[in-house]
Each structure stands twice: as structure tokens, then as C-alpha cells.
Amino acid sequence: MKHIVKILTLLVAITAFWIGLLETSIVPRKQTWLLPVYFIVSLGCYGLLMVGVGLMRFPTCPQEAQLLQKDIVEAKEFLKQRGVDVSSD
């Protein structure tokens, strides 16, 4: 619930800022109407950047790889006992 409140608070603050820019003539009106589009595009770029960083820093787990190999060997032995051919040839 706290996370939703933070998001809504941020959304209300950004909306108030945007409406304030529309009401005052600090930024030309043509450019002010495009600010929500710029914001959404910026959020998309940020999301893609975070996914890319997460993929680059993806941890390797050698212990988990060894456990997975053991599980594969056990599964092959189990299937061989049941009469299933699991050879990779």
C-alpha cells in the first residue's frame, strides 16, 4: 500500500507541475503539451536501460550449475530405469 501512495504522490506532483507550466507562460504552450509524451518516452528509455544493466550484471552461479548437472544425470538414470532412451546421439 505504501508503494501505491508513493506512486500516486509522484503522479500528482508531476501533474501539478505540468498544469502550473500550462497556466504560466514560462514555457511555450506548444512545447508544454508535449511534456507528458516526453515523460513517457523518458520512462521507457529508463526501463530499457535498467533491463540492459540487469542483463549485463546477471550473476553466474557455478554452484547452481553443478546442482543442475547432478539433477540432469539423476533424471537420465531414472528415465533409463524406466526404459526411456535419453541418449543425445
Side-chain angles (χ1 to χ4, degrees):
M1 186 67 175
K2 292 180 183 181
H3 194 63
I4 293 172
V5 172
K6 288 179 186 178
I7 291 173
L8 288 176
T9 303
L10 182 64
L11 186 63
V12 167
I14 290 171
T15 304
F17 179 71
W18 180 58
I19 290 173
L21 283 177
L22 282 174
E23 294 300 319
T24 61
S25 296
I26 297 172
V27 179
R29 201 164 183 85
K30 288 173 101 175
Q31 293 175 353
T32 307
W33 281 106
L34 290 175
L35 284 177
V37 174
Y38 293 150
F39 181 70
I40 291 171
V41 169
S42 297
L43 283 177
C45 291
Y46 174 75
L48 286 174
L49 177 70
M50 289 296 104
V51 168
V53 168
L55 286 174
M56 286 189 305
R57 299 183 72 208
F58 190 76
T60 56
C61 305
Q63 301 88 4
E64 294 297 323
Q66 290 173 353
L67 289 174
L68 181 60
Q69 291 299 325
K70 286 181 184 178
D71 288 343
I72 291 172
V73 168
E74 288 177 13
K76 284 183 177 181
E77 289 175 4
F78 176 78
L79 290 173
K80 282 181 185 177
Q81 291 174 357
R82 303 281 188 224
V84 178
D85 182 26
V86 289
S87 62
S88 58
D89 294 336

